[in-house]
Amino acid sequence: QVQLQESGPGLVKPSQTLSLTCTVSGGSISSGSYYWSWIRQPAGKGLEWIGRIYTSGSTNYNPSLKSRVTISVDTSKNQFSLKLSSVTAADTAVYYCASLQMGGAFDYWGQGTLVTVSS
Amino acid sequence: QSVLTQPPSVSAAPGQKVTISCSGSSSNIGNNYVSWYQQLPGTAPKLLIYDNNKRPSGIPDRFSGSKSGTSATLGITGLQTGDEADYYCGTWDSSLSALHWVFGGGTKLTVL
């Protein structure tokens, strides 16, 4: 069974870049069976999709975040990563990584990691 | 404001049935599969329904999904107190000149 684990700083200063990594275990990120995705959730609010990447490096991003987001994949480490630039307090949220079925459904999720943007 | 519209809250008594609606448009639900997620307090979301009406292994048949036109519905029968959670629908959207995923705003289920 695929397992995902987010890691990265829990505190980021305004205007800086948020960087998170998701480590995949129990399966190869290069298998081609999934897209790999980032989703976030501000406290007390709903889910917001950030973007996805395929093993080839092909990406799709949320149009509202596209100018600030980069998702990359490192197949040698079985990891994929998120970079969100020029962060503000509005980017404070729990960030989840998840596997995305080809047909369109997030079937495996990480436990989530809280990132707070504050000086 | 979410592209997919869900009721903010629903409630029902233990043992009863409840439905949660998810309304969209032709750019999302109308032309794509819908999935549903359950988020218990303090935990990550969990996939309940995919491809409109399919249940992953381990999801009881008390949970069901359906889609008609530009709307989808999640049904839960035999309600249990453990079903109290937030429920989200989601699908692809092809508006804004780019394919992107959208979630509904979420529905809080209270089992009275």
CSV table of all heavy atoms in Angstrom, one decimal, chain B residues 9-70:
chain,number,residue,atom,x,y,z
B,9,SER,N,-24.1,22.3,5.8
B,9,SER,CA,-24.3,21.3,6.8
B,9,SER,C,-25.6,20.5,6.6
B,9,SER,O,-26.5,21.0,5.9
B,9,SER,CB,-24.5,22.0,8.2
B,9,SER,OG,-25.6,22.9,8.2
B,10,VAL,N,-25.5,19.3,7.1
B,10,VAL,CA,-26.7,18.4,7.1
B,10,VAL,C,-26.7,17.7,8.4
B,10,VAL,O,-25.7,17.5,9.0
B,10,VAL,CB,-26.7,17.4,5.9
B,10,VAL,CG1,-26.8,18.1,4.5
B,10,VAL,CG2,-25.5,16.5,5.9
B,11,SER,N,-27.9,17.2,8.8
B,11,SER,CA,-27.9,16.4,10.0
B,11,SER,C,-29.0,15.4,9.9
B,11,SER,O,-30.0,15.5,9.2
B,11,SER,CB,-28.2,17.4,11.2
B,11,SER,OG,-29.4,18.0,11.0
B,12,ALA,N,-28.9,14.3,10.7
B,12,ALA,CA,-29.9,13.3,10.7
B,12,ALA,C,-29.6,12.4,12.0
B,12,ALA,O,-28.5,12.5,12.6
B,12,ALA,CB,-29.8,12.4,9.5
B,13,ALA,N,-30.6,11.6,12.3
B,13,ALA,CA,-30.4,10.8,13.5
B,13,ALA,C,-29.7,9.5,13.2
B,13,ALA,O,-29.7,9.1,12.0
B,13,ALA,CB,-31.8,10.5,14.1
B,14,PRO,N,-29.1,8.9,14.2
B,14,PRO,CA,-28.5,7.6,14.0
B,14,PRO,C,-29.4,6.6,13.4
B,14,PRO,O,-30.6,6.6,13.7
B,14,PRO,CB,-28.1,7.1,15.4
B,14,PRO,CG,-27.9,8.4,16.2
B,14,PRO,CD,-29.0,9.3,15.6
B,15,GLY,N,-28.9,5.8,12.4
B,15,GLY,CA,-29.7,4.8,11.7
B,15,GLY,C,-30.5,5.4,10.5
B,15,GLY,O,-31.0,4.6,9.7
B,16,GLN,N,-30.6,6.7,10.4
B,16,GLN,CA,-31.3,7.3,9.3
B,16,GLN,C,-30.4,7.4,8.1
B,16,GLN,O,-29.2,7.0,8.1
B,16,GLN,CB,-31.8,8.7,9.7
B,16,GLN,CG,-32.9,8.6,10.8
B,16,GLN,CD,-34.1,7.8,10.4
B,16,GLN,OE1,-34.7,8.0,9.4
B,16,GLN,NE2,-34.4,6.7,11.2
B,17,LYS,N,-31.0,8.0,7.0
B,17,LYS,CA,-30.3,8.2,5.8
B,17,LYS,C,-30.1,9.7,5.5
B,17,LYS,O,-31.0,10.5,5.9
B,17,LYS,CB,-31.0,7.6,4.6
B,17,LYS,CG,-30.4,7.9,3.2
B,17,LYS,CD,-31.3,7.3,2.1
B,17,LYS,CE,-30.7,7.7,0.7
B,17,LYS,NZ,-31.5,7.1,-0.4
B,18,VAL,N,-29.0,10.1,4.9
B,18,VAL,CA,-28.8,11.5,4.5
B,18,VAL,C,-28.1,11.5,3.1
B,18,VAL,O,-27.5,10.6,2.7
B,18,VAL,CB,-27.8,12.1,5.6
B,18,VAL,CG1,-26.4,11.6,5.4
B,18,VAL,CG2,-27.9,13.6,5.4
B,19,THR,N,-28.5,12.6,2.4
B,19,THR,CA,-27.8,12.8,1.1
B,19,THR,C,-27.1,14.2,1.1
B,19,THR,O,-27.6,15.1,1.8
B,19,THR,CB,-28.8,12.8,0.0
B,19,THR,OG1,-29.8,13.8,0.2
B,19,THR,CG2,-29.5,11.4,-0.1
B,20,ILE,N,-26.0,14.3,0.5
B,20,ILE,CA,-25.3,15.5,0.3
B,20,ILE,C,-25.1,15.8,-1.2
B,20,ILE,O,-24.6,15.0,-1.9
B,20,ILE,CB,-23.9,15.4,1.0
B,20,ILE,CG1,-24.0,15.1,2.5
B,20,ILE,CG2,-23.1,16.7,0.7
B,20,ILE,CD1,-22.7,14.8,3.2
B,21,SER,N,-25.5,17.0,-1.6
B,21,SER,CA,-25.5,17.4,-3.0
B,21,SER,C,-24.3,18.1,-3.3
B,21,SER,O,-23.6,18.8,-2.5
B,21,SER,CB,-26.7,18.2,-3.3
B,21,SER,OG,-26.8,19.4,-2.5
B,22,CYS,N,-23.9,18.1,-4.6
B,22,CYS,CA,-22.8,18.8,-5.1
B,22,CYS,C,-23.2,19.3,-6.5
B,22,CYS,O,-23.3,18.5,-7.4
B,22,CYS,CB,-21.6,17.8,-5.2
B,22,CYS,SG,-20.1,18.5,-5.9
B,23,SER,N,-23.3,20.6,-6.6
B,23,SER,CA,-23.8,21.1,-7.9
B,23,SER,C,-22.7,21.9,-8.6
B,23,SER,O,-21.9,22.7,-8.0
B,23,SER,CB,-24.9,22.1,-7.6
B,23,SER,OG,-25.4,22.7,-8.8
B,24,GLY,N,-22.6,21.6,-9.9
B,24,GLY,CA,-21.5,22.2,-10.7
B,24,GLY,C,-22.0,22.7,-12.1
B,24,GLY,O,-23.1,23.3,-12.1
B,25,SER,N,-21.2,22.5,-13.1
B,25,SER,CA,-21.6,23.0,-14.4
B,25,SER,C,-21.1,22.0,-15.5
B,25,SER,O,-20.4,21.0,-15.1
B,25,SER,CB,-21.0,24.4,-14.7
B,25,SER,OG,-19.6,24.3,-14.7
B,26,SER,N,-21.3,22.4,-16.7
B,26,SER,CA,-20.8,21.5,-17.8
B,26,SER,C,-19.3,21.5,-17.9
B,26,SER,O,-18.7,20.6,-18.5
B,26,SER,CB,-21.4,22.0,-19.2
B,26,SER,OG,-21.0,23.3,-19.4
B,27,SER,N,-18.6,22.5,-17.4
B,27,SER,CA,-17.1,22.5,-17.4
B,27,SER,C,-16.5,21.6,-16.4
B,27,SER,O,-15.3,21.4,-16.4
B,27,SER,CB,-16.6,23.9,-17.3
B,27,SER,OG,-16.8,24.4,-16.0
B,28,ASN,N,-17.3,21.1,-15.4
B,28,ASN,CA,-16.7,20.3,-14.4
B,28,ASN,C,-17.5,19.0,-14.3
B,28,ASN,O,-17.3,18.0,-15.0
B,28,ASN,CB,-16.6,21.0,-13.1
B,28,ASN,CG,-17.7,21.9,-12.7
B,28,ASN,OD1,-18.8,21.4,-12.5
B,28,ASN,ND2,-17.5,23.2,-12.7
B,29,ILE,N,-18.5,18.9,-13.4
B,29,ILE,CA,-19.3,17.7,-13.2
B,29,ILE,C,-19.9,17.2,-14.5
B,29,ILE,O,-19.9,16.0,-14.7
B,29,ILE,CB,-20.4,17.9,-12.1
B,29,ILE,CG1,-19.7,18.2,-10.7
B,29,ILE,CG2,-21.3,16.7,-12.0
B,29,ILE,CD1,-20.7,18.5,-9.6
B,30,GLY,N,-20.4,18.1,-15.3
B,30,GLY,CA,-21.1,17.6,-16.5
B,30,GLY,C,-20.3,16.8,-17.4
B,30,GLY,O,-20.9,16.0,-18.2
B,31,ASN,N,-19.0,16.9,-17.4
B,31,ASN,CA,-18.1,16.1,-18.3
B,31,ASN,C,-17.0,15.4,-17.7
B,31,ASN,O,-16.0,15.0,-18.4
B,31,ASN,CB,-17.6,17.1,-19.4
B,31,ASN,CG,-18.6,17.5,-20.4
B,31,ASN,OD1,-19.0,16.7,-21.3
B,31,ASN,ND2,-19.1,18.7,-20.3
B,32,ASN,N,-17.1,15.2,-16.4
B,32,ASN,CA,-16.0,14.5,-15.7
B,32,ASN,C,-16.5,13.6,-14.5
B,32,ASN,O,-17.6,13.8,-14.1
B,32,ASN,CB,-15.0,15.5,-15.1
B,32,ASN,CG,-14.3,16.3,-16.1
B,32,ASN,OD1,-13.4,15.8,-16.8
B,32,ASN,ND2,-14.6,17.5,-16.3
B,33,TYR,N,-15.7,12.6,-14.1
B,33,TYR,CA,-16.1,11.8,-13.0
B,33,TYR,C,-16.0,12.7,-11.7
B,33,TYR,O,-15.1,13.6,-11.6
B,33,TYR,CB,-15.1,10.6,-12.9
B,33,TYR,CG,-15.3,9.5,-13.9
B,33,TYR,CD1,-14.3,9.1,-14.7
B,33,TYR,CD2,-16.6,8.9,-14.0
B,33,TYR,CE1,-14.5,8.1,-15.6
B,33,TYR,CE2,-16.7,7.9,-14.9
B,33,TYR,CZ,-15.7,7.5,-15.7
B,33,TYR,OH,-15.9,6.5,-16.6
B,34,VAL,N,-16.8,12.3,-10.7
B,34,VAL,CA,-16.9,12.9,-9.4
B,34,VAL,C,-16.4,12.0,-8.4
B,34,VAL,O,-16.6,10.8,-8.4
B,34,VAL,CB,-18.3,13.4,-9.1
B,34,VAL,CG1,-18.3,14.0,-7.7
B,34,VAL,CG2,-18.8,14.4,-10.1
B,35,SER,N,-15.6,12.5,-7.4
B,35,SER,CA,-15.2,11.7,-6.3
B,35,SER,C,-15.6,12.4,-5.0
B,35,SER,O,-15.9,13.6,-5.0
B,35,SER,CB,-13.7,11.5,-6.3
B,35,SER,OG,-12.9,12.7,-6.4
B,36,TRP,N,-15.7,11.6,-3.9
B,36,TRP,CA,-16.2,12.2,-2.6
B,36,TRP,C,-15.1,11.8,-1.6
B,36,TRP,O,-14.6,10.6,-1.6
B,36,TRP,CB,-17.5,11.6,-2.3
B,36,TRP,CG,-18.7,12.1,-3.1
B,36,TRP,CD1,-19.1,11.6,-4.3
B,36,TRP,CD2,-19.5,13.2,-2.8
B,36,TRP,NE1,-20.2,12.4,-4.7
B,36,TRP,CE2,-20.4,13.4,-3.8
B,36,TRP,CE3,-19.5,14.2,-1.7
B,36,TRP,CZ2,-21.4,14.4,-3.8
B,36,TRP,CZ3,-20.4,15.2,-1.7
B,36,TRP,CH2,-21.4,15.3,-2.8
B,37,TYR,N,-15.0,12.6,-0.6
B,37,TYR,CA,-14.0,12.5,0.5
B,37,TYR,C,-14.6,12.7,1.8
B,37,TYR,O,-15.4,13.6,2.0
B,37,TYR,CB,-12.8,13.4,0.3
B,37,TYR,CG,-12.2,13.2,-1.1
B,37,TYR,CD1,-12.7,13.9,-2.2
B,37,TYR,CD2,-11.2,12.3,-1.3
B,37,TYR,CE1,-12.2,13.7,-3.5
B,37,TYR,CE2,-10.6,12.1,-2.6
B,37,TYR,CZ,-11.2,12.8,-3.6
B,37,TYR,OH,-10.7,12.5,-4.9
B,38,GLN,N,-14.2,11.9,2.8
B,38,GLN,CA,-14.6,12.1,4.2
B,38,GLN,C,-13.4,12.6,5.0
B,38,GLN,O,-12.4,12.0,4.9
B,38,GLN,CB,-15.1,10.8,4.8
B,38,GLN,CG,-15.5,10.8,6.2
B,38,GLN,CD,-15.6,9.4,6.8
B,38,GLN,OE1,-14.7,8.6,6.8
B,38,GLN,NE2,-16.8,9.1,7.3
B,39,GLN,N,-13.6,13.7,5.8
B,39,GLN,CA,-12.6,14.2,6.6
B,39,GLN,C,-13.0,14.2,8.1
B,39,GLN,O,-13.8,15.1,8.4
B,39,GLN,CB,-12.1,15.5,6.2
B,39,GLN,CG,-10.9,16.0,6.9
B,39,GLN,CD,-10.3,17.3,6.4
B,39,GLN,OE1,-11.0,18.2,6.0
B,39,GLN,NE2,-9.0,17.5,6.5
B,40,LEU,N,-12.5,13.2,8.8
B,40,LEU,CA,-12.8,13.2,10.3
B,40,LEU,C,-12.0,14.3,10.9
B,40,LEU,O,-10.9,14.7,10.4
B,40,LEU,CB,-12.5,11.9,10.8
B,40,LEU,CG,-13.3,10.7,10.3
B,40,LEU,CD1,-12.7,9.4,10.7
B,40,LEU,CD2,-14.8,10.8,10.7
B,41,PRO,N,-12.5,14.8,12.1
B,41,PRO,CA,-11.8,15.9,12.7
B,41,PRO,C,-10.3,15.6,13.0
B,41,PRO,O,-9.9,14.6,13.5
B,41,PRO,CB,-12.5,16.1,14.1
B,41,PRO,CG,-13.9,15.6,13.8
B,41,PRO,CD,-13.7,14.5,12.8
B,42,GLY,N,-9.4,16.5,12.5
B,42,GLY,CA,-8.0,16.4,12.8
B,42,GLY,C,-7.3,15.4,11.9
B,42,GLY,O,-6.1,15.1,12.2
B,43,THR,N,-7.9,14.9,10.9
B,43,THR,CA,-7.3,13.9,10.0
B,43,THR,C,-7.3,14.3,8.6
B,43,THR,O,-8.0,15.2,8.2
B,43,THR,CB,-8.0,12.5,10.2
B,43,THR,OG1,-9.3,12.6,9.6
B,43,THR,CG2,-8.1,12.1,11.6
B,44,ALA,N,-6.5,13.6,7.8
B,44,ALA,CA,-6.5,13.8,6.3
B,44,ALA,C,-7.8,13.3,5.7
B,44,ALA,O,-8.4,12.4,6.2
B,44,ALA,CB,-5.3,13.1,5.7
B,45,PRO,N,-8.2,13.9,4.6
B,45,PRO,CA,-9.3,13.4,3.9
B,45,PRO,C,-9.1,11.9,3.5
B,45,PRO,O,-8.0,11.5,3.3
B,45,PRO,CB,-9.4,14.3,2.7
B,45,PRO,CG,-8.8,15.6,3.1
B,45,PRO,CD,-7.7,15.1,4.0
B,46,LYS,N,-10.2,11.2,3.3
B,46,LYS,CA,-10.2,9.8,2.9
B,46,LYS,C,-11.2,9.6,1.7
B,46,LYS,O,-12.3,10.1,1.7
B,46,LYS,CB,-10.7,8.9,4.1
B,46,LYS,CG,-10.8,7.5,3.8
B,46,LYS,CD,-11.4,6.8,5.0
B,46,LYS,CE,-11.6,5.3,4.8
B,46,LYS,NZ,-12.2,4.7,6.1
B,47,LEU,N,-10.7,8.9,0.7
B,47,LEU,CA,-11.5,8.7,-0.5
B,47,LEU,C,-12.7,7.7,-0.2
B,47,LEU,O,-12.5,6.6,0.3
B,47,LEU,CB,-10.7,8.1,-1.6
B,47,LEU,CG,-11.4,7.7,-2.9
B,47,LEU,CD1,-12.0,9.0,-3.6
B,47,LEU,CD2,-10.4,7.0,-3.9
B,48,LEU,N,-13.9,8.2,-0.5
B,48,LEU,CA,-15.1,7.4,-0.2
B,48,LEU,C,-15.7,6.8,-1.5
B,48,LEU,O,-16.1,5.7,-1.6
B,48,LEU,CB,-16.2,8.3,0.4
B,48,LEU,CG,-16.2,8.6,1.9
B,48,LEU,CD1,-17.4,9.4,2.3
B,48,LEU,CD2,-16.1,7.3,2.7
B,49,ILE,N,-15.8,7.7,-2.5
B,49,ILE,CA,-16.4,7.3,-3.8
B,49,ILE,C,-15.5,7.9,-4.9
B,49,ILE,O,-15.0,9.0,-4.8
B,49,ILE,CB,-17.8,7.9,-3.9
B,49,ILE,CG1,-18.7,7.4,-2.8
B,49,ILE,CG2,-18.4,7.7,-5.3
B,49,ILE,CD1,-19.1,5.9,-3.0
B,50,TYR,N,-15.3,7.1,-6.0
B,50,TYR,CA,-14.6,7.6,-7.2
B,50,TYR,C,-15.4,7.2,-8.4
B,50,TYR,O,-16.3,6.3,-8.3
B,50,TYR,CB,-13.2,7.1,-7.2
B,50,TYR,CG,-13.0,5.6,-7.4
B,50,TYR,CD1,-12.7,5.1,-8.7
B,50,TYR,CD2,-13.1,4.7,-6.4
B,50,TYR,CE1,-12.6,3.7,-8.9
B,50,TYR,CE2,-13.0,3.3,-6.6
B,50,TYR,CZ,-12.7,2.9,-7.9
B,50,TYR,OH,-12.6,1.5,-8.1
B,51,ASP,N,-15.1,7.8,-9.5
B,51,ASP,CA,-15.8,7.6,-10.8
B,51,ASP,C,-17.3,7.6,-10.6
B,51,ASP,O,-18.0,6.7,-11.1
B,51,ASP,CB,-15.4,6.2,-11.4
B,51,ASP,CG,-14.0,6.2,-11.9
B,51,ASP,OD1,-13.3,7.2,-11.8
B,51,ASP,OD2,-13.5,5.1,-12.3
B,52,ASN,N,-17.8,8.6,-9.9
B,52,ASN,CA,-19.2,8.9,-9.6
B,52,ASN,C,-19.8,7.9,-8.6
B,52,ASN,O,-20.6,8.4,-7.7
B,52,ASN,CB,-20.0,8.8,-10.9
B,52,ASN,CG,-19.6,9.8,-11.9
B,52,ASN,OD1,-19.1,10.8,-11.6
B,52,ASN,ND2,-19.9,9.4,-13.2
B,53,ASN,N,-19.6,6.6,-8.7
B,53,ASN,CA,-20.3,5.7,-7.9
B,53,ASN,C,-19.6,4.5,-7.4
B,53,ASN,O,-20.2,3.5,-7.0
B,53,ASN,CB,-21.6,5.3,-8.7
B,53,ASN,CG,-21.3,4.7,-10.0
B,53,ASN,OD1,-20.1,4.3,-10.3
B,53,ASN,ND2,-22.2,4.7,-10.9
B,54,LYS,N,-18.3,4.5,-7.5
B,54,LYS,CA,-17.5,3.3,-7.2
B,54,LYS,C,-16.9,3.5,-5.8
B,54,LYS,O,-16.4,4.6,-5.4
B,54,LYS,CB,-16.4,3.0,-8.2
B,54,LYS,CG,-16.9,2.7,-9.6
B,54,LYS,CD,-15.8,2.5,-10.6
B,54,LYS,CE,-16.4,2.3,-12.0
B,54,LYS,NZ,-15.3,2.2,-13.0
B,55,ARG,N,-16.9,2.4,-5.0
B,55,ARG,CA,-16.3,2.5,-3.7
B,55,ARG,C,-14.9,1.8,-3.6
B,55,ARG,O,-14.8,0.6,-4.1
B,55,ARG,CB,-17.2,1.8,-2.6
B,55,ARG,CG,-18.5,2.6,-2.3
B,55,ARG,CD,-19.4,1.8,-1.3
B,55,ARG,NE,-20.1,0.8,-2.0
B,55,ARG,CZ,-19.8,-0.5,-1.9
B,55,ARG,NH1,-18.9,-0.9,-1.2
B,55,ARG,NH2,-20.6,-1.4,-2.6
B,56,PRO,N,-13.9,2.4,-3.0
B,56,PRO,CA,-12.6,1.7,-2.9
B,56,PRO,C,-12.8,0.6,-1.9
B,56,PRO,O,-13.8,0.5,-1.1
B,56,PRO,CB,-11.7,2.8,-2.2
B,56,PRO,CG,-12.4,4.1,-2.5
B,56,PRO,CD,-13.9,3.8,-2.6
B,57,SER,N,-11.9,-0.4,-2.0
B,57,SER,CA,-11.9,-1.5,-1.1
B,57,SER,C,-11.9,-1.0,0.4
B,57,SER,O,-11.2,-0.1,0.7
B,57,SER,CB,-10.6,-2.3,-1.3
B,57,SER,OG,-10.5,-3.4,-0.4
B,58,GLY,N,-12.8,-1.6,1.2
B,58,GLY,CA,-12.9,-1.2,2.6
B,58,GLY,C,-13.9,-0.2,2.9
B,58,GLY,O,-14.2,0.0,4.1
B,59,ILE,N,-14.5,0.5,1.9
B,59,ILE,CA,-15.6,1.4,2.2
B,59,ILE,C,-16.9,0.7,2.2
B,59,ILE,O,-17.2,0.0,1.2
B,59,ILE,CB,-15.6,2.5,1.1
B,59,ILE,CG1,-14.3,3.3,1.1
B,59,ILE,CG2,-16.7,3.5,1.4
B,59,ILE,CD1,-13.9,4.0,2.4
B,60,PRO,N,-17.6,0.8,3.3
B,60,PRO,CA,-18.9,0.0,3.4
B,60,PRO,C,-19.9,0.5,2.4
B,60,PRO,O,-19.9,1.6,1.9
B,60,PRO,CB,-19.3,0.2,4.8
B,60,PRO,CG,-18.6,1.4,5.3
B,60,PRO,CD,-17.3,1.5,4.5
B,61,ASP,N,-20.8,-0.5,2.0
B,61,ASP,CA,-21.9,-0.1,1.0
B,61,ASP,C,-22.9,0.8,1.6
B,61,ASP,O,-23.9,1.1,0.9
B,61,ASP,CB,-22.5,-1.4,0.4
B,61,ASP,CG,-23.1,-2.3,1.5
B,61,ASP,OD1,-23.2,-1.9,2.7
B,61,ASP,OD2,-23.5,-3.4,1.1
B,62,ARG,N,-22.8,1.3,2.8
B,62,ARG,CA,-23.7,2.3,3.4
B,62,ARG,C,-23.4,3.6,2.6
B,62,ARG,O,-24.3,4.5,2.6
B,62,ARG,CB,-23.4,2.5,4.8
B,62,ARG,CG,-23.6,1.4,5.7
B,62,ARG,CD,-23.6,1.8,7.2
B,62,ARG,NE,-22.3,2.3,7.6
B,62,ARG,CZ,-22.1,3.6,7.9
B,62,ARG,NH1,-23.1,4.5,7.9
B,62,ARG,NH2,-20.9,4.0,8.3
B,63,PHE,N,-22.3,3.7,2.0
B,63,PHE,CA,-21.9,4.9,1.3
B,63,PHE,C,-22.1,4.7,-0.2
B,63,PHE,O,-21.7,3.7,-0.8
B,63,PHE,CB,-20.4,5.3,1.5
B,63,PHE,CG,-20.1,5.7,2.9
B,63,PHE,CD1,-19.7,4.7,3.8
B,63,PHE,CD2,-20.3,7.0,3.3
B,63,PHE,CE1,-19.4,5.1,5.1
B,63,PHE,CE2,-20.0,7.4,4.6
B,63,PHE,CZ,-19.6,6.4,5.5
B,64,SER,N,-22.8,5.6,-0.9
B,64,SER,CA,-23.1,5.5,-2.3
B,64,SER,C,-23.0,6.8,-3.0
B,64,SER,O,-23.1,7.9,-2.4
B,64,SER,CB,-24.5,4.9,-2.5
B,64,SER,OG,-25.5,5.8,-2.0
B,65,GLY,N,-22.7,6.8,-4.3
B,65,GLY,CA,-22.6,8.0,-5.1
B,65,GLY,C,-23.4,7.9,-6.4
B,65,GLY,O,-23.6,6.8,-6.9
B,66,SER,N,-23.9,9.1,-6.8
B,66,SER,CA,-24.6,9.1,-8.1
B,66,SER,C,-24.3,10.4,-8.8
B,66,SER,O,-23.9,11.4,-8.1
B,66,SER,CB,-26.1,8.9,-7.9
B,66,SER,OG,-26.6,9.9,-7.1
B,67,LYS,N,-24.6,10.5,-10.1
B,67,LYS,CA,-24.4,11.7,-10.8
B,67,LYS,C,-25.5,11.8,-11.9
B,67,LYS,O,-25.9,10.8,-12.5
B,67,LYS,CB,-23.0,11.8,-11.5
B,67,LYS,CG,-22.7,13.1,-12.2
B,67,LYS,CD,-21.4,13.0,-12.9
B,67,LYS,CE,-21.6,13.0,-14.4
B,67,LYS,NZ,-20.3,13.2,-15.2
B,68,SER,N,-26.0,13.0,-12.0
B,68,SER,CA,-27.0,13.3,-13.0
B,68,SER,C,-26.7,14.7,-13.6
B,68,SER,O,-26.8,15.7,-12.9
B,68,SER,CB,-28.4,13.2,-12.5
B,68,SER,OG,-29.4,13.5,-13.5
B,69,GLY,N,-26.4,14.8,-14.9
B,69,GLY,CA,-26.1,16.1,-15.5
B,69,GLY,C,-25.0,16.8,-14.8
B,69,GLY,O,-23.9,16.3,-14.8
B,70,THR,N,-25.3,17.9,-14.3
B,70,THR,CA,-24.2,18.7,-13.7
B,70,THR,C,-24.2,18.7,-12.1
B,70,THR,O,-23.7,19.6,-11.5
B,70,THR,CB,-24.3,20.2,-14.1
B,70,THR,OG1,-25.5,20.7,-13.8
B,70,THR,CG2,-24.1,20.3,-15.6
